Amino acid sequence: MIYGILLESARYGVCEVYGQAIWKRIVQELNFEHESFTTLGRYDETLIEKIAECLAEILHEGGPDLYMQFFGECFVKFFTNYGYDKILHLVFQKMKSPLFHVTDEDDNGAILHYKSKRRGFQRYIVGQLKECSTRFFKEDIFVRIQDDISSNEYTHIIFRVDFNNFMARSMERRLMQGPKLPDVTSTTFFKVFPFGILLDPQMRICHLGHSIKNVFPSDTLLIGRHLEDVFRLIRPDILLEWNRVLSYGRHIVFVIESRIPLRPSQSKNMKKSGSGNPQIRLKGQMKLMEAWNMIVFLCHPVLTTTEEMLSVGLFLHDLNFYDGSSEILIAGMQHARSLQAAIDKQHAWITKLQSSKLELQEWRSKGRRLLYSMMPRHIAQMLQEGVLANSICESHKLLTVLFAYSIDFKDVIQKLDPQQIVESINATVNAFDQCSEHFDVFKVETKADSSYMAVAGIQDRSIQPHRRESTTSQSTTYSLSIADDLANEMKNPLGLNHAEIVCGLALELVKSSKRVINPVTKQPFRVKFGFHSGPAVGGIVGAKNYQYCLFGDTINTASRITTTGEPGRVHISDTSYALLRDSQYFETQHRGKTELKGKGTSETYWLIGPTPAYTSLIDQDQYDIDDEEPSGLSYQQTTKAENNAPRSFADTSPNGHLAPVPRTPVKSNINKRPSLSGSQCPFSGHKIGIEPFGM
């Protein structure tokens, strides 16, 4: 895992050099959930390589290695430009930095070893080295990989770094040729280095500086013990042996950490390790003292604040005289609190951001569901993929259009106030919508004259997600899962055509209409039903408030079929009858020739009802509503809604009270996606819903 700040620095570089449009394309190609990264967040370390590969594919200018080097340069620029270099060790405490050490140098450069547990970052390191040289030393360098001695556990790369090293080498030679300084006594030496540790060839402790000695309890035996018995080597990752320490000690910094307890009274505020023991870290270099034939560890405690210094029982006068540790701590005191406050504020923002992400996903889900309720499924999917709304226009070779028209609505408008009119329309529409939810139809519109229009056959078009899968973006995965669910909803195990689907809906609407009461006559609304099958053209109308509309003679003919029907009956055109002639689920009756306004005469039919085959498939899966909760609105839920609704559109008895609602289970959903639990319809697989509408 890597911190998000590495990825954020890559984003910063891409936007700075190649433009925001290129980064947005990368986000789209890799299906990132957001266009930026949380700096303190933890991400898969392979993401930065994927970004480099994607950038190479987009730009066609070099391979991924070139852009990994570019990201290394961006890392240095990003850190220094925004000041992260000053607080790196405070904010990113869990960052596992690689190990660097120089094994050889000459007038023309040096040999640099790079060691890390991460894979594939060697070019990233090259970019960092080049940018650091340019930014901090105003010098161009040339870096090449001289050897790769990586193992299964570590990446170990040997770099040859070429630069003008003549001046530094000359200065070193002049210093070596200077006057010889007098020897100092061991007492003076350990006074200058109060944290020094003297080791013999067996890596046993021979002497400790007074400052480090005072950190441990006075009765703890330290002299003569092996260094690993008292301290744990943190860096470098080598065995504590004489020859290895001498080899590495010339080039790299060592870090050790205490194993045994410190003074209890002095360490009560010290941050404890996993074992429960307080610890102190020492950092410095291993130097060979040839006169003594011993190694001395010239080190200082790793302290970031004065509070941490006091917690391990140290004071300013205990620190080294030569390295400025005391000055650094004093200077940091005035900035520590403000810096910590800034860090705490950032952590609070990150926590709030995570909560906002979850809330955003929830609202996105609601938005998608709302869109799918307003548009046909395939149209909604096209809009989500970025297709311009007004460019969508499609031709349907055959679909079935159903109208329901209330002939009492004019009387309602004349005798009721506006609020009661709206309540009456709302009662009718809600009742019809509850029926439509159980069938694979699309509600096109509800007109001001209380006519209700639904279409079957639009939803048959397939939905194919075009974006490639990603393991990084949860929102994209969720979007694809919705598309998969919608595709499953279109399954038709029984092979019903859209005219048969509309038949099932029409019969439910007839029953539903008998339960919606006209507040003027106190009788059920008189509603005509009719449907016609034929071709039509569909598309989105409007630039701001989108509406999917259908156009064509089929819609006009369906409206004529409805108006020429009779209240409480379903009128069918000859083309719809042709689709129902061989149906085993619905019965029809010939009406004869009917005069259609503007169309002449036409043979029409009545829908009589379902056949025993249809009702048996439904009846055998009816279940006890007291034992199992149905999908959609239950009887209890609907009754509660009706009790809270205005009386003008409820069933009302002569004395003004709500009429009891019979507990009548109805047919399961037609052509809806299968459910995995509960009672199911044998041919649609959908859980049976309970409707409050009876005959």
Side-chain angles (χ1 to χ4, degrees), residues 434-465:
Q434 291 178 24
C435 295
S436 299
E437 288 177 359
H438 298 278
F439 296 85
D440 192 13
V441 297
F442 174 68
K443 173 190 169 184
V444 178
E445 61 183 357
T446 301
K447 293 184 178 180
D449 59 355
S450 192
S451 63
Y452 189 89
M453 177 180 175
V455 182
I458 295 180
Q459 308 281 45
D460 292 344
R461 302 203 171 187
S462 61
I463 302 172
Q464 297 294 337

PDB file of all heavy atoms in Angstrom, residues 434-465:
ATOM      1  N   GLN A 434     -49.447   1.525  -9.089  1.00  0.00           N
ATOM      2  CA  GLN A 434     -49.191   0.311  -8.309  1.00  0.00           C
ATOM      3  C   GLN A 434     -49.420  -0.940  -9.152  1.00  0.00           C
ATOM      4  O   GLN A 434     -48.705  -1.935  -9.001  1.00  0.00           O
ATOM      5  CB  GLN A 434     -50.081   0.294  -7.065  1.00  0.00           C
ATOM      6  CG  GLN A 434     -49.698   1.347  -6.029  1.00  0.00           C
ATOM      7  CD  GLN A 434     -50.620   1.336  -4.829  1.00  0.00           C
ATOM      8  OE1 GLN A 434     -51.241   0.315  -4.533  1.00  0.00           O
ATOM      9  NE2 GLN A 434     -50.724   2.467  -4.148  1.00  0.00           N
ATOM     10  N   CYS A 435     -50.375  -0.880 -10.027  1.00  0.00           N
ATOM     11  CA  CYS A 435     -50.605  -2.022 -10.923  1.00  0.00           C
ATOM     12  C   CYS A 435     -49.478  -2.132 -11.954  1.00  0.00           C
ATOM     13  O   CYS A 435     -48.993  -3.235 -12.233  1.00  0.00           O
ATOM     14  CB  CYS A 435     -51.949  -1.865 -11.638  1.00  0.00           C
ATOM     15  SG  CYS A 435     -53.389  -1.932 -10.556  1.00  0.00           S
ATOM     16  N   SER A 436     -49.075  -1.005 -12.522  1.00  0.00           N
ATOM     17  CA  SER A 436     -48.056  -1.017 -13.576  1.00  0.00           C
ATOM     18  C   SER A 436     -46.717  -1.547 -13.084  1.00  0.00           C
ATOM     19  O   SER A 436     -45.946  -2.113 -13.861  1.00  0.00           O
ATOM     20  CB  SER A 436     -47.865   0.395 -14.136  1.00  0.00           C
ATOM     21  OG  SER A 436     -49.059   0.879 -14.692  1.00  0.00           O
ATOM     22  N   GLU A 437     -46.413  -1.340 -11.790  1.00  0.00           N
ATOM     23  CA  GLU A 437     -45.138  -1.791 -11.255  1.00  0.00           C
ATOM     24  C   GLU A 437     -44.962  -3.301 -11.352  1.00  0.00           C
ATOM     25  O   GLU A 437     -43.841  -3.795 -11.310  1.00  0.00           O
ATOM     26  CB  GLU A 437     -45.005  -1.353  -9.795  1.00  0.00           C
ATOM     27  CG  GLU A 437     -44.779   0.139  -9.624  1.00  0.00           C
ATOM     28  CD  GLU A 437     -44.728   0.536  -8.161  1.00  0.00           C
ATOM     29  OE1 GLU A 437     -44.896  -0.364  -7.304  1.00  0.00           O
ATOM     30  OE2 GLU A 437     -44.522   1.730  -7.869  1.00  0.00           O
ATOM     31  N   HIS A 438     -46.052  -4.027 -11.467  1.00  0.00           N
ATOM     32  CA  HIS A 438     -45.984  -5.479 -11.518  1.00  0.00           C
ATOM     33  C   HIS A 438     -45.901  -6.029 -12.938  1.00  0.00           C
ATOM     34  O   HIS A 438     -45.926  -7.249 -13.122  1.00  0.00           O
ATOM     35  CB  HIS A 438     -47.207  -6.078 -10.805  1.00  0.00           C
ATOM     36  CG  HIS A 438     -47.281  -5.733  -9.355  1.00  0.00           C
ATOM     37  ND1 HIS A 438     -46.582  -6.407  -8.391  1.00  0.00           N
ATOM     38  CD2 HIS A 438     -47.956  -4.752  -8.706  1.00  0.00           C
ATOM     39  CE1 HIS A 438     -46.835  -5.882  -7.203  1.00  0.00           C
ATOM     40  NE2 HIS A 438     -47.665  -4.871  -7.372  1.00  0.00           N
ATOM     41  N   PHE A 439     -45.800  -5.165 -13.917  1.00  0.00           N
ATOM     42  CA  PHE A 439     -45.751  -5.613 -15.305  1.00  0.00           C
ATOM     43  C   PHE A 439     -44.604  -4.900 -16.022  1.00  0.00           C
ATOM     44  O   PHE A 439     -44.230  -3.784 -15.662  1.00  0.00           O
ATOM     45  CB  PHE A 439     -47.078  -5.329 -16.016  1.00  0.00           C
ATOM     46  CG  PHE A 439     -48.244  -6.082 -15.442  1.00  0.00           C
ATOM     47  CD1 PHE A 439     -48.941  -5.578 -14.356  1.00  0.00           C
ATOM     48  CD2 PHE A 439     -48.630  -7.304 -15.978  1.00  0.00           C
ATOM     49  CE1 PHE A 439     -50.009  -6.275 -13.814  1.00  0.00           C
ATOM     50  CE2 PHE A 439     -49.698  -8.002 -15.445  1.00  0.00           C
ATOM     51  CZ  PHE A 439     -50.390  -7.497 -14.358  1.00  0.00           C
ATOM     52  N   ASP A 440     -44.073  -5.545 -17.030  1.00  0.00           N
ATOM     53  CA  ASP A 440     -42.941  -4.997 -17.763  1.00  0.00           C
ATOM     54  C   ASP A 440     -43.436  -3.991 -18.803  1.00  0.00           C
ATOM     55  O   ASP A 440     -43.420  -4.244 -20.006  1.00  0.00           O
ATOM     56  CB  ASP A 440     -42.163  -6.126 -18.434  1.00  0.00           C
ATOM     57  CG  ASP A 440     -40.819  -5.640 -18.966  1.00  0.00           C
ATOM     58  OD1 ASP A 440     -40.415  -4.529 -18.593  1.00  0.00           O
ATOM     59  OD2 ASP A 440     -40.191  -6.366 -19.747  1.00  0.00           O
ATOM     60  N   VAL A 441     -43.906  -2.851 -18.295  1.00  0.00           N
ATOM     61  CA  VAL A 441     -44.413  -1.791 -19.155  1.00  0.00           C
ATOM     62  C   VAL A 441     -43.740  -0.482 -18.753  1.00  0.00           C
ATOM     63  O   VAL A 441     -43.149  -0.367 -17.681  1.00  0.00           O
ATOM     64  CB  VAL A 441     -45.950  -1.645 -19.051  1.00  0.00           C
ATOM     65  CG1 VAL A 441     -46.630  -2.903 -19.518  1.00  0.00           C
ATOM     66  CG2 VAL A 441     -46.356  -1.291 -17.623  1.00  0.00           C
ATOM     67  N   PHE A 442     -43.854   0.508 -19.616  1.00  0.00           N
ATOM     68  CA  PHE A 442     -43.317   1.836 -19.332  1.00  0.00           C
ATOM     69  C   PHE A 442     -44.461   2.833 -19.379  1.00  0.00           C
ATOM     70  O   PHE A 442     -45.178   2.941 -20.377  1.00  0.00           O
ATOM     71  CB  PHE A 442     -42.243   2.216 -20.349  1.00  0.00           C
ATOM     72  CG  PHE A 442     -41.755   3.624 -20.204  1.00  0.00           C
ATOM     73  CD1 PHE A 442     -41.027   4.009 -19.094  1.00  0.00           C
ATOM     74  CD2 PHE A 442     -42.030   4.572 -21.180  1.00  0.00           C
ATOM     75  CE1 PHE A 442     -40.583   5.309 -18.955  1.00  0.00           C
ATOM     76  CE2 PHE A 442     -41.587   5.875 -21.045  1.00  0.00           C
ATOM     77  CZ  PHE A 442     -40.864   6.241 -19.930  1.00  0.00           C
ATOM     78  N   LYS A 443     -44.628   3.569 -18.275  1.00  0.00           N
ATOM     79  CA  LYS A 443     -45.654   4.604 -18.218  1.00  0.00           C
ATOM     80  C   LYS A 443     -45.132   5.837 -18.944  1.00  0.00           C
ATOM     81  O   LYS A 443     -44.133   6.438 -18.546  1.00  0.00           O
ATOM     82  CB  LYS A 443     -45.986   4.935 -16.770  1.00  0.00           C
ATOM     83  CG  LYS A 443     -46.932   6.116 -16.624  1.00  0.00           C
ATOM     84  CD  LYS A 443     -47.029   6.548 -15.175  1.00  0.00           C
ATOM     85  CE  LYS A 443     -47.754   7.874 -15.061  1.00  0.00           C
ATOM     86  NZ  LYS A 443     -47.790   8.368 -13.673  1.00  0.00           N
ATOM     87  N   VAL A 444     -45.823   6.230 -19.999  1.00  0.00           N
ATOM     88  CA  VAL A 444     -45.349   7.345 -20.807  1.00  0.00           C
ATOM     89  C   VAL A 444     -45.783   8.672 -20.206  1.00  0.00           C
ATOM     90  O   VAL A 444     -44.978   9.562 -19.962  1.00  0.00           O
ATOM     91  CB  VAL A 444     -45.836   7.211 -22.260  1.00  0.00           C
ATOM     92  CG1 VAL A 444     -45.378   8.401 -23.088  1.00  0.00           C
ATOM     93  CG2 VAL A 444     -45.325   5.915 -22.866  1.00  0.00           C
ATOM     94  N   GLU A 445     -47.056   8.842 -19.912  1.00  0.00           N
ATOM     95  CA  GLU A 445     -47.508  10.129 -19.396  1.00  0.00           C
ATOM     96  C   GLU A 445     -48.888   9.998 -18.786  1.00  0.00           C
ATOM     97  O   GLU A 445     -49.621   9.032 -19.023  1.00  0.00           O
ATOM     98  CB  GLU A 445     -47.539  11.189 -20.499  1.00  0.00           C
ATOM     99  CG  GLU A 445     -48.497  10.843 -21.631  1.00  0.00           C
ATOM    100  CD  GLU A 445     -48.466  11.879 -22.748  1.00  0.00           C
ATOM    101  OE1 GLU A 445     -47.749  12.879 -22.624  1.00  0.00           O
ATOM    102  OE2 GLU A 445     -49.177  11.665 -23.732  1.00  0.00           O
ATOM    103  N   THR A 446     -49.252  10.996 -17.993  1.00  0.00           N
ATOM    104  CA  THR A 446     -50.608  11.177 -17.486  1.00  0.00           C
ATOM    105  C   THR A 446     -51.048  12.573 -17.892  1.00  0.00           C
ATOM    106  O   THR A 446     -50.429  13.562 -17.500  1.00  0.00           O
ATOM    107  CB  THR A 446     -50.659  11.037 -15.957  1.00  0.00           C
ATOM    108  OG1 THR A 446     -50.178   9.746 -15.589  1.00  0.00           O
ATOM    109  CG2 THR A 446     -52.079  11.200 -15.454  1.00  0.00           C
ATOM    110  N   LYS A 447     -52.099  12.676 -18.674  1.00  0.00           N
ATOM    111  CA  LYS A 447     -52.532  13.972 -19.191  1.00  0.00           C
ATOM    112  C   LYS A 447     -53.444  14.679 -18.191  1.00  0.00           C
ATOM    113  O   LYS A 447     -53.908  14.099 -17.216  1.00  0.00           O
ATOM    114  CB  LYS A 447     -53.252  13.792 -20.522  1.00  0.00           C
ATOM    115  CG  LYS A 447     -52.344  13.301 -21.641  1.00  0.00           C
ATOM    116  CD  LYS A 447     -53.098  13.231 -22.949  1.00  0.00           C
ATOM    117  CE  LYS A 447     -52.181  12.781 -24.089  1.00  0.00           C
ATOM    118  NZ  LYS A 447     -52.900  12.708 -25.376  1.00  0.00           N
ATOM    119  N   ALA A 448     -53.693  15.948 -18.465  1.00  0.00           N
ATOM    120  CA  ALA A 448     -54.516  16.756 -17.574  1.00  0.00           C
ATOM    121  C   ALA A 448     -55.966  16.281 -17.525  1.00  0.00           C
ATOM    122  O   ALA A 448     -56.703  16.599 -16.598  1.00  0.00           O
ATOM    123  CB  ALA A 448     -54.470  18.221 -18.003  1.00  0.00           C
ATOM    124  N   ASP A 449     -56.405  15.542 -18.556  1.00  0.00           N
ATOM    125  CA  ASP A 449     -57.779  15.031 -18.553  1.00  0.00           C
ATOM    126  C   ASP A 449     -57.877  13.686 -17.852  1.00  0.00           C
ATOM    127  O   ASP A 449     -58.859  12.959 -18.025  1.00  0.00           O
ATOM    128  CB  ASP A 449     -58.305  14.912 -19.988  1.00  0.00           C
ATOM    129  CG  ASP A 449     -57.446  13.980 -20.831  1.00  0.00           C
ATOM    130  OD1 ASP A 449     -56.400  13.519 -20.323  1.00  0.00           O
ATOM    131  OD2 ASP A 449     -57.822  13.726 -21.984  1.00  0.00           O
ATOM    132  N   SER A 450     -56.836  13.344 -17.054  1.00  0.00           N
ATOM    133  CA  SER A 450     -56.806  12.125 -16.247  1.00  0.00           C
ATOM    134  C   SER A 450     -56.707  10.861 -17.085  1.00  0.00           C
ATOM    135  O   SER A 450     -57.076   9.783 -16.633  1.00  0.00           O
ATOM    136  CB  SER A 450     -58.047  12.048 -15.333  1.00  0.00           C
ATOM    137  OG  SER A 450     -57.883  11.040 -14.367  1.00  0.00           O
ATOM    138  N   SER A 451     -56.238  10.967 -18.318  1.00  0.00           N
ATOM    139  CA  SER A 451     -55.991   9.767 -19.118  1.00  0.00           C
ATOM    140  C   SER A 451     -54.622   9.204 -18.769  1.00  0.00           C
ATOM    141  O   SER A 451     -53.679   9.955 -18.495  1.00  0.00           O
ATOM    142  CB  SER A 451     -56.081  10.093 -20.608  1.00  0.00           C
ATOM    143  OG  SER A 451     -55.081  11.029 -20.966  1.00  0.00           O
ATOM    144  N   TYR A 452     -54.531   7.897 -18.771  1.00  0.00           N
ATOM    145  CA  TYR A 452     -53.324   7.190 -18.331  1.00  0.00           C
ATOM    146  C   TYR A 452     -52.799   6.372 -19.508  1.00  0.00           C
ATOM    147  O   TYR A 452     -53.556   5.648 -20.154  1.00  0.00           O
ATOM    148  CB  TYR A 452     -53.674   6.278 -17.164  1.00  0.00           C
ATOM    149  CG  TYR A 452     -52.505   5.636 -16.466  1.00  0.00           C
ATOM    150  CD1 TYR A 452     -51.871   6.263 -15.410  1.00  0.00           C
ATOM    151  CD2 TYR A 452     -52.044   4.376 -16.849  1.00  0.00           C
ATOM    152  CE1 TYR A 452     -50.813   5.668 -14.741  1.00  0.00           C
ATOM    153  CE2 TYR A 452     -50.984   3.775 -16.201  1.00  0.00           C
ATOM    154  CZ  TYR A 452     -50.369   4.422 -15.146  1.00  0.00           C
ATOM    155  OH  TYR A 452     -49.319   3.827 -14.491  1.00  0.00           O
ATOM    156  N   MET A 453     -51.480   6.506 -19.804  1.00  0.00           N
ATOM    157  CA  MET A 453     -50.899   5.852 -20.972  1.00  0.00           C
ATOM    158  C   MET A 453     -49.717   5.000 -20.543  1.00  0.00           C
ATOM    159  O   MET A 453     -48.819   5.457 -19.829  1.00  0.00           O
ATOM    160  CB  MET A 453     -50.444   6.896 -21.999  1.00  0.00           C
ATOM    161  CG  MET A 453     -49.757   6.320 -23.223  1.00  0.00           C
ATOM    162  SD  MET A 453     -49.257   7.647 -24.363  1.00  0.00           S
ATOM    163  CE  MET A 453     -48.352   6.726 -25.595  1.00  0.00           C
ATOM    164  N   ALA A 454     -49.703   3.738 -20.961  1.00  0.00           N
ATOM    165  CA  ALA A 454     -48.599   2.818 -20.699  1.00  0.00           C
ATOM    166  C   ALA A 454     -48.288   2.048 -21.979  1.00  0.00           C
ATOM    167  O   ALA A 454     -49.184   1.791 -22.795  1.00  0.00           O
ATOM    168  CB  ALA A 454     -48.930   1.861 -19.565  1.00  0.00           C
ATOM    169  N   VAL A 455     -47.016   1.675 -22.136  1.00  0.00           N
ATOM    170  CA  VAL A 455     -46.560   1.022 -23.361  1.00  0.00           C
ATOM    171  C   VAL A 455     -45.757  -0.220 -23.002  1.00  0.00           C
ATOM    172  O   VAL A 455     -44.927  -0.191 -22.085  1.00  0.00           O
ATOM    173  CB  VAL A 455     -45.695   1.978 -24.213  1.00  0.00           C
ATOM    174  CG1 VAL A 455     -45.279   1.303 -25.508  1.00  0.00           C
ATOM    175  CG2 VAL A 455     -46.440   3.260 -24.501  1.00  0.00           C
ATOM    176  N   ALA A 456     -45.973  -1.290 -23.737  1.00  0.00           N
ATOM    177  CA  ALA A 456     -45.169  -2.506 -23.614  1.00  0.00           C
ATOM    178  C   ALA A 456     -44.426  -2.734 -24.924  1.00  0.00           C
ATOM    179  O   ALA A 456     -44.963  -2.496 -25.997  1.00  0.00           O
ATOM    180  CB  ALA A 456     -46.050  -3.716 -23.295  1.00  0.00           C
ATOM    181  N   GLY A 457     -43.196  -3.172 -24.811  1.00  0.00           N
ATOM    182  CA  GLY A 457     -42.378  -3.421 -25.992  1.00  0.00           C
ATOM    183  C   GLY A 457     -41.163  -2.523 -26.069  1.00  0.00           C
ATOM    184  O   GLY A 457     -40.192  -2.847 -26.749  1.00  0.00           O
ATOM    185  N   ILE A 458     -41.194  -1.373 -25.374  1.00  0.00           N
ATOM    186  CA  ILE A 458     -40.033  -0.476 -25.369  1.00  0.00           C
ATOM    187  C   ILE A 458     -38.887  -1.082 -24.582  1.00  0.00           C
ATOM    188  O   ILE A 458     -37.725  -0.983 -24.958  1.00  0.00           O
ATOM    189  CB  ILE A 458     -40.421   0.900 -24.780  1.00  0.00           C
ATOM    190  CG1 ILE A 458     -41.445   1.590 -25.673  1.00  0.00           C
ATOM    191  CG2 ILE A 458     -39.193   1.780 -24.621  1.00  0.00           C
ATOM    192  CD1 ILE A 458     -41.878   2.937 -25.157  1.00  0.00           C
ATOM    193  N   GLN A 459     -39.224  -1.748 -23.478  1.00  0.00           N
ATOM    194  CA  GLN A 459     -38.196  -2.242 -22.562  1.00  0.00           C
ATOM    195  C   GLN A 459     -37.453  -3.460 -23.099  1.00  0.00           C
ATOM    196  O   GLN A 459     -36.535  -3.946 -22.434  1.00  0.00           O
ATOM    197  CB  GLN A 459     -38.831  -2.621 -21.213  1.00  0.00           C
ATOM    198  CG  GLN A 459     -39.688  -1.524 -20.600  1.00  0.00           C
ATOM    199  CD  GLN A 459     -38.848  -0.456 -19.925  1.00  0.00           C
ATOM    200  OE1 GLN A 459     -37.862  -0.027 -20.495  1.00  0.00           O
ATOM    201  NE2 GLN A 459     -39.228  -0.050 -18.735  1.00  0.00           N
ATOM    202  N   ASP A 460     -37.829  -3.968 -24.253  1.00  0.00           N
ATOM    203  CA  ASP A 460     -37.210  -5.192 -24.762  1.00  0.00           C
ATOM    204  C   ASP A 460     -35.794  -4.970 -25.277  1.00  0.00           C
ATOM    205  O   ASP A 460     -35.083  -5.926 -25.533  1.00  0.00           O
ATOM    206  CB  ASP A 460     -38.065  -5.797 -25.893  1.00  0.00           C
ATOM    207  CG  ASP A 460     -39.395  -6.312 -25.363  1.00  0.00           C
ATOM    208  OD1 ASP A 460     -39.502  -6.467 -24.136  1.00  0.00           O
ATOM    209  OD2 ASP A 460     -40.307  -6.533 -26.178  1.00  0.00           O
ATOM    210  N   ARG A 461     -35.384  -3.728 -25.477  1.00  0.00           N
ATOM    211  CA  ARG A 461     -34.071  -3.478 -26.066  1.00  0.00           C
ATOM    212  C   ARG A 461     -32.976  -3.748 -25.043  1.00  0.00           C
ATOM    213  O   ARG A 461     -33.104  -3.409 -23.871  1.00  0.00           O
ATOM    214  CB  ARG A 461     -33.991  -2.045 -26.578  1.00  0.00           C
ATOM    215  CG  ARG A 461     -35.083  -1.785 -27.611  1.00  0.00           C
ATOM    216  CD  ARG A 461     -34.755  -0.642 -28.525  1.00  0.00           C
ATOM    217  NE  ARG A 461     -35.724  -0.581 -29.621  1.00  0.00           N
ATOM    218  CZ  ARG A 461     -35.616   0.237 -30.640  1.00  0.00           C
ATOM    219  NH1 ARG A 461     -34.597   1.072 -30.715  1.00  0.00           N
ATOM    220  NH2 ARG A 461     -36.527   0.225 -31.596  1.00  0.00           N
ATOM    221  N   SER A 462     -31.894  -4.337 -25.539  1.00  0.00           N
ATOM    222  CA  SER A 462     -30.831  -4.785 -24.637  1.00  0.00           C
ATOM    223  C   SER A 462     -30.014  -3.611 -24.147  1.00  0.00           C
ATOM    224  O   SER A 462     -29.924  -2.576 -24.777  1.00  0.00           O
ATOM    225  CB  SER A 462     -29.910  -5.779 -25.347  1.00  0.00           C
ATOM    226  OG  SER A 462     -29.300  -5.157 -26.453  1.00  0.00           O
ATOM    227  N   ILE A 463     -29.376  -3.803 -22.964  1.00  0.00           N
ATOM    228  CA  ILE A 463     -28.501  -2.812 -22.351  1.00  0.00           C
ATOM    229  C   ILE A 463     -27.117  -3.413 -22.252  1.00  0.00           C
ATOM    230  O   ILE A 463     -26.911  -4.445 -21.623  1.00  0.00           O
ATOM    231  CB  ILE A 463     -28.993  -2.427 -20.947  1.00  0.00           C
ATOM    232  CG1 ILE A 463     -30.421  -1.896 -21.021  1.00  0.00           C
ATOM    233  CG2 ILE A 463     -28.070  -1.426 -20.305  1.00  0.00           C
ATOM    234  CD1 ILE A 463     -31.047  -1.684 -19.665  1.00  0.00           C
ATOM    235  N   GLN A 464     -26.143  -2.784 -22.887  1.00  0.00           N
ATOM    236  CA  GLN A 464     -24.766  -3.275 -22.857  1.00  0.00           C
ATOM    237  C   GLN A 464     -23.858  -2.206 -22.262  1.00  0.00           C
ATOM    238  O   GLN A 464     -23.671  -1.155 -22.859  1.00  0.00           O
ATOM    239  CB  GLN A 464     -24.283  -3.624 -24.272  1.00  0.00           C
ATOM    240  CG  GLN A 464     -25.063  -4.747 -24.926  1.00  0.00           C
ATOM    241  CD  GLN A 464     -24.861  -6.083 -24.225  1.00  0.00           C
ATOM    242  OE1 GLN A 464     -23.858  -6.279 -23.542  1.00  0.00           O
ATOM    243  NE2 GLN A 464     -25.801  -6.992 -24.395  1.00  0.00           N
ATOM    244  N   PRO A 465     -23.292  -2.450 -21.049  1.00  0.00           N
ATOM    245  CA  PRO A 465     -22.354  -1.463 -20.503  1.00  0.00           C
ATOM    246  C   PRO A 465     -21.085  -1.409 -21.325  1.00  0.00           C
ATOM    247  O   PRO A 465     -20.525  -2.418 -21.692  1.00  0.00           O
ATOM    248  CB  PRO A 465     -22.073  -2.009 -19.080  1.00  0.00           C
ATOM    249  CG  PRO A 465     -22.392  -3.468 -19.158  1.00  0.00           C
ATOM    250  CD  PRO A 465     -23.472  -3.624 -20.177  1.00  0.00           C
TER     251      PRO A 465
END
